[in-house]
Amino acid sequence: MADHNDLIVVYVDEAQGSDLTGNGSIDTPFQSPVAALTAAGLHAMVHSRKTPNETYEPLGTSALKKAKKIVELNEKKARKADELKAKANAENAERSAKEAKRIEDSKNVVLEEDPSLPPAMKTKIRGCTSLRMKRVRISGWVHRLRRQKGPTFIVLRDGTGFLQCVLSDRLSQTYDALTLATEAAIQITGLVQEVPEGKSAPGGHELIADWWGVLGAAPSGDDAFSNRLNAESEGNVLADNRHLALRGEVAASVLHVRAGVLSAFRKVFEAHNLTEVTPPCMVQTQVEGGATLFKFDYYGQPAFLTQSSQLYLETCLPSLGDVYSIQESFRAENSHTRRHLSEYTHLEAELAFITFDELMTHIEEVICEAVSMVLAVPRLAAMLKQLHPEFQPPKRPFLRMSYKNAIKYLNEHGIQRKDDETGRFVDHTVGDDIAEAAERQMTDELGVPIFLYGFPKEIKAFYMKKIPGDEAFTESCDLLMPNVGEIVGGSMRIADMDELLAGYKREGIDPAPYYWFTDQRKYGTCEHGGYGLGVERFLAWLTNRYTVRECSLYPRWPGRATP
């Protein structure tokens, strides 16, 4: 900008000027007259040119008038915006002052239990149905919170269920009520009543509070629970905050169903006369291949975390009869699939004096009876309905398909495998270890539980019995479920000592550390078989979870061992 005889001259170059970086000088002009007049004022003289080759000339009367009108309109809008902003700031300040006074005044509201009321019965939320129209005392966590002009509505959670609680009058005017945040732990007393007709609440009732108090506050603001974790959270955020994610309804329901499943399996095993045992997790022998062992130093000796308790279960047969165990197994596989964990709950069983057909029938019975037992518990059935609305109990008998017929099915239906050498997709051949993806595709197409049996001995463990008369294959089976794939692996075990010793040799295993296992063939050997069921995979099938990681309390996979 230039000052000519007290008149400010501002320059506009429509081609090369800039309204953002220009200052109105002849070297750094604006691009538009509006920007020029806004910066220099309505009384400034505007000199303009359309191209850099032209000389600057005073802006025409019509164009100047139009630009001034736009500037005046913009100034008017700006004043209006400033007025509205000032008004909003004043209103916000007034509201903040009122809220601050309300919160300060609330500190004078002190709640005391009315001694004239009947004594409150301490209960869990699950017990409220039988205590309707009685005064109860319940402790729990604020799952949801809704404040209205009058009452405050709280959905309380205590692990046994959810309960809507209503705070009215003075109860909703205390300092604790005004600063209450979700996930705070509270205690509350009042009358349990059916909800009015046309209204709904968990359990069909609500607690009309007459007293309450905070046991453990929860933060609001930036550190509020909803800012740490919400419906949009995923991936590492969910994994890092698993301790908080467990408070969600879905995660808690899966774990409730998990507890019911484990309880059901134990009851089913008891009904089938199996005895529970607890084998060691620290071992010095392998079961499923040395490449997947977690090794550690055990007082100067090499030791491993167990892959399976099977060998120990076999040693219990002569003294305890049929046995089972439910404990953790560990696999050092660098697998990131949705059905693999580095630590998982392994349900294993061994049975004496049985045939291969009887083994598969037993597995089928145990699974079907356990599912029926879970569904017979109304609370668990309701959770399962929420988690997996389309779930239907499996129908017996399960389909039994030999490995050879599975290879035939895969080829006939165009389900191919990837060749390791060429990278091309090719047909399956007998001897292939059917890949997880192909196995799952076949299972999903058939849509029913499948016993896949009779695998080649080369791809199975050293202890599996060969099929009499077809000794290139083993009396082994995998139970495949739609949407998940394999959930059970089982087999008949080698009963003959010489055959077992040959198995050690074939796999390059030193038999010396296995002396105690080999002795089972020396002192009263018998035909026997067993299986292992992955509890997380079973739950993924039952509850329709995408990954087994959702079915473990604190899942472990490669790279994840926290929290």
Side-chain angles (χ1 to χ4, degrees):
M1 288 182 284
D3 190 348
H4 293 173
N5 300 323
D6 297 326
L7 286 177
I8 296 174
V9 178
V10 59
Y11 293 92
V12 170
D13 186 329
E14 294 182 19
Q16 293 187 337
S18 172
D19 290 346
L20 295 176
T21 60
N23 60 18
S25 67
I26 198 166
D27 296 322
T28 316
F30 289 111
Q31 187 181 35
S32 71
V34 171
L37 291 173
T38 301
L42 293 176
H43 298 293
M45 292 182 62
V46 179
H47 286 201
S48 174
R49 68 182 180 186
K50 294 187 180 295
T51 68
N53 296 326
E54 298 177 4
T55 58
Y56 284 104
E57 298 288 345
L59 189 66
T61 303
S62 176
L64 182 62
K65 185 178 180 180
K66 182 178 179 181
K68 286 183 177 181
K69 188 174 182 180
I70 293 173
V71 171
E72 289 173 344
L73 184 61
N74 288 343
E75 288 176 349
K76 186 177 180 180
K77 287 181 179 178
R79 286 194 298 272
K80 183 67 174 178
D82 288 341
E83 290 172 4
L84 292 174
K85 184 178 180 180
K87 183 179 179 181
N89 287 340
E91 290 175 349
N92 288 336
E94 184 180 356
R95 277 196 297 269
S96 296
K98 285 183 179 179
E99 184 63 18
K101 185 177 185 306
R102 188 165 78 108
I103 290 177
E104 190 60 32
D105 291 345
S106 72
K107 295 177 181 178
N108 298 320
V109 181
V110 179
L111 300 180
E112 294 183 357
E113 287 197 63
D114 187 345
S116 67
L117 293 174
M121 301 174 62
K122 186 176 181 180
T123 185
K124 296 286 188 181
I125 290 175
R126 192 189 300 178
C128 285
T129 301
S130 61
L131 294 174
R132 288 181 178 177
M133 299 313 296
K134 296 187 182 298
R135 188 167 181 259
V136 301
R137 185 186 307 276
I138 294 177
S139 300
W141 290 265
V142 178
H143 190 66
R144 282 192 291 272
L145 178 64
R146 178 164 54 93
R147 292 185 176 92
Q148 295 186 341
K149 277 191 175 181
T152 295
F153 292 88
I154 294 170
V155 174
L156 198 67
R157 180 190 75 241
D158 72 350
T160 72
F162 298 88
L163 177 65
Q164 179 168 285
C165 306
V166 184
L167 309 181
S168 300
D169 302 324
R170 284 171 58 84
L171 299 185
S172 62
Q173 298 166 8
T174 66
Y175 178 78
D176 283 343
L178 298 183
T179 58
L180 188 65
T182 55
E183 294 308 321
I186 67 172
Q187 186 178 91
I188 189 165
T189 66
L191 198 67
V192 179
Q193 297 182 353
E194 285 191 59
V195 293
E197 188 174 347
K199 303 291 184 180
S200 63
H205 49 238
E206 60 187 1
L207 186 147
I208 308 301
D210 57 56
W211 179 89
W212 76 285
V214 173
L215 302 175
S220 56
D222 292 342
D223 204 28
F225 182 86
S226 58
N227 289 331
R228 291 283 299 277
L229 209 63
N230 53 54
E232 283 70 45
S233 299
E234 56 185 22
N236 285 334
V237 173
L238 282 176
D240 291 340
N241 291 281
R242 179 66 175 167
H243 60 296
L244 300 179
L246 294 175
R247 301 184 180 207
E249 292 177 44
V250 170
S253 293
V254 170
L255 293 178
H256 276 300
V257 173
R258 177 189 171 103
V261 162
L262 293 177
S263 175
F265 273 125
R266 285 189 163 96
K267 290 175 182 176
V268 171
F269 282 133
E270 183 178 355
H272 283 260
N273 298 309
L274 274 76
T275 301
E276 184 172 9
V277 295
T278 52
C281 284
M282 296 186 293
V283 302
Q284 292 184 308
T285 51
Q286 69 184 54
V287 180
E288 298 294 339
T292 63
L293 286 166
F294 283 109
K295 188 176 182 179
F296 66 95
D297 180 84
Y298 185 71
Y299 301 106
Q301 300 179 51
F304 312 98
L305 295 178
T306 183
Q307 303 163 313
S308 166
S309 296
Q310 177 213 315
L311 306 189
Y312 293 100
L313 293 182
E314 288 191 45
T315 68
C316 298
L317 294 177
S319 57
L320 301 176
D322 299 341
V323 291
Y324 76 95
S325 67
I326 302 176
Q327 65 177 34
E328 305 310 293
S329 282
F330 305 85
R331 296 286 173 87
E333 295 177 86
N334 193 19
S335 296
H336 295 263
T337 76
R338 59 191 178 103
R339 70 174 193 174
H340 280 90
L341 290 170
S342 298
E343 176 186 12
Y344 66 98
T345 303
H346 208 175
L347 184 154
E348 298 181 89
E350 290 293 320
L351 302 97
F353 307 111
I354 62 168
T355 65
F356 186 38
D357 281 342
E358 289 170 341
L359 175 64
M360 287 189 283
T361 299
H362 164 84
I363 295 170
E364 185 178 302
E365 288 174 346
V366 166
I367 285 175
C368 291
E369 290 172 19
V371 169
S372 295
M373 203 169 285
V374 170
L375 292 174
V377 180
R379 183 174 66 97
L380 297 179
M383 289 179 182
L384 191 55
K385 183 70 174 176
Q386 286 289 109
L387 293 167
H388 191 178
E390 292 81 30
F391 177 76
Q392 294 293 328
K395 296 179 180 179
R396 300 180 59 191
F398 292 174
L399 175 64
R400 297 187 183 186
M401 176 186 288
S402 72
Y403 166 85
K404 294 175 185 176
N405 284 337
I407 295 292
K408 184 179 179 182
Y409 179 96
L410 294 172
N411 291 335
E412 288 177 348
H413 290 77
I415 304 174
Q416 296 184 308
R417 66 175 180 86
K418 191 173 184 179
D419 185 82
D420 293 334
E421 294 182 2
T422 66
R424 297 176 181 174
F425 283 92
V426 298
D427 285 347
H428 289 82
T429 58
V430 174
D432 288 345
D433 190 356
I434 301 173
E436 175 190 338
E439 187 179 76
R440 185 186 293 138
Q441 185 177 344
M442 178 181 71
T443 308
D444 290 349
E445 285 182 3
L446 292 170
V448 294
I450 304 169
F451 272 118
L452 193 57
Y453 68 90
F455 294 92
K457 66 180 181 181
E458 287 79 13
I459 62 173
K460 285 297 178 181
F462 69 90
Y463 53 76
M464 293 188 179
K465 181 182 176 183
K466 293 188 282 292
I467 297 175
D470 194 5
E471 300 198 349
F473 298 87
T474 56
E475 289 190 333
S476 56
C477 64
D478 288 345
L479 178 57
L480 314 177
M481 288 296 194
N483 300 321
V484 178
E486 178 193 346
I487 66 168
V488 178
S491 77
M492 295 298 291
R493 318 310 194 187
I494 292 174
D496 180 78
M497 182 184 289
D498 290 337
E499 189 179 345
L500 180 61
L501 291 172
Y504 292 141
K505 185 175 181 180
R506 185 184 74 242
E507 298 295 328
I509 296 173
D510 179 6
Y514 293 84
Y515 71 93
W516 51 275
F517 179 67
T518 309
D519 272 356
Q520 303 308 306
R521 280 75 183 166
K522 182 177 180 180
Y523 295 94
T525 190
C526 72
E527 293 295 325
H528 63 288
Y531 57 94
L533 177 147
V535 171
E536 287 80 11
R537 291 188 184 182
F538 180 88
L539 280 164
W541 162 71
L542 187 65
T543 62
N544 197 31
R545 297 301 92 190
Y546 177 74
T547 169
V548 292
R549 296 175 185 179
E550 296 182 60
C551 303
S552 173
L553 182 62
Y554 284 97
R556 300 293 186 242
W557 66 87
R560 169 64 61 177
T562 56

